[in-house]
Amino acid sequence: MVRVLSVGGSIVVPQQPDEAFLRDFAAHIRRWLSVSAERKLILVVGGGGPARIYQQAYRKIIDNTPSNDEADWIGIMATRLNAQLLKAIFLDICPNPVVYDPTAVELFSGQVLIAAGWKPGFSTDNDAVLLAERFSAKQVINLSNIEKVYTDDPKKNPDAKPIDTISWEQFIRLVGTEWVPGKNVPFDPVASLRAQKAGIQVICAGGTDLNNLDNILNDCPFKGTTIG
């Protein structure tokens, strides 16, 4: 059984590594894996605070002519640093190197596989979908700093409503179809199109509620939004 988690960098490294969260997160993951040696987990991590800080610096320095590809590469490098930290935390059950290219991975010999950003044009959400396809997982669990998808940005629109379930068609209408580096959406538009095509379901949930993550992994009732 392979489960795929797309872990938002903002909960792993909001500005600097959140040591308390990472310690608890690792304990919950290890507890779930300990039930059976057949349980396997792919963790794909985003860039978090460092990605945003460095991308913002780049855009300010270049002024009005920044390259989206270069901004993406900056974010990708942040994901790789975060991924290396996760690999070190799970070292005893994660013997394979950090995955950079989700289309080329062949080995998954431990219980945990860590992946980071691949190339410009999309976020690590898309890498998670590609890895779900590669290892025949029908679901991606997307953990971020929001508990549910809303009909609009609740920070800007007080009338925005939380959504429990939504089709891919409806979700794509909400987020669009184009990726911009650093774009703040519940799930990457490029990844959404790919997941829709592949028939992969995505659960969006708050990443810091680890008891809720337990419920998702154990197929129990949970707080979040199911897409697809």
Side-chain angles (χ1 to χ4, degrees):
M1 174 199 299
V2 176
R3 306 296 293 269
V4 180
L5 268 64
S6 181
V7 185
S10 59
I11 60 174
V12 174
V13 188
Q15 297 295 328
Q16 58 187 17
D18 187 334
E19 296 172 15
F21 166 76
L22 287 167
R23 187 178 295 109
D24 291 344
F25 177 72
H28 279 256
I29 294 300
R30 287 177 180 275
R31 189 181 307 124
W32 183 77
L33 291 170
S34 69
V35 172
S36 170
E38 294 184 358
R39 289 186 171 185
K40 290 175 174 278
L41 200 62
I42 299 173
L43 301 176
V44 189
V45 65
R52 288 190 299 275
I53 291 167
Y54 277 76
Q55 286 171 338
Q56 287 169 4
Y58 165 64
R59 291 187 176 107
K60 288 178 181 177
I61 293 165
I62 298 300
D63 199 17
N64 292 324
T65 58
S67 159
N68 278 344
D69 277 2
E70 290 306 316
D72 256 341
W73 276 120
I74 291 168
I76 287 165
M77 293 306 167
T79 74
R80 293 180 178 182
L81 181 59
N82 294 344
Q84 201 63 44
L85 173 60
L86 284 179
K87 175 173 168 53
I89 290 170
F90 290 103
L91 185 61
D92 57 311
I93 51 175
C94 180
N96 301 118
V98 172
V99 173
Y100 293 161
D101 181 350
T103 67
V105 61
E106 296 181 0
L107 293 177
F108 188 172
S109 52
Q111 279 192 285
V112 171
L113 185 67
I114 307 293
W118 177 21
K119 62 182 181 179
F122 41 77
S123 76
T124 47
D125 290 341
N126 194 62
D127 301 324
V129 173
L130 286 164
L131 286 164
E133 289 185 85
R134 167 66 182 82
F135 290 100
S136 302
K138 293 300 182 183
Q139 185 185 79
V140 171
I141 302 167
N142 183 55
L143 302 178
S144 69
N145 54 8
I146 61 168
E147 292 185 344
K148 290 188 177 185
V149 174
Y150 280 74
T151 54
D152 198 0
D153 187 343
K155 294 179 181 178
K156 299 177 181 178
N157 181 359
D159 295 324
K161 305 296 183 185
I163 300 169
D164 291 328
T165 59
I166 187 171
S167 69
W168 276 120
E169 291 80 3
Q170 292 170 317
F171 182 77
I172 289 167
R173 281 200 293 270
L174 277 178
V175 301
T177 57
E178 295 184 4
W179 167 250
V180 177
K183 187 172 185 176
N184 187 20
V185 290
F187 201 69
D188 174 348
V190 176
S192 298
L193 290 169
R194 187 169 194 95
Q196 179 188 34
K197 183 178 179 181
I200 291 173
Q201 183 185 77
V202 170
I203 292 174
C204 290
T208 57
D209 186 345
L210 295 173
N211 290 327
N212 192 53
L213 173 59
D214 291 341
N215 289 338
I216 296 171
L217 290 171
N218 291 314
D219 298 318
C220 296
F222 63 89
K223 181 188 297 182
T225 300
T226 301
I227 310 171

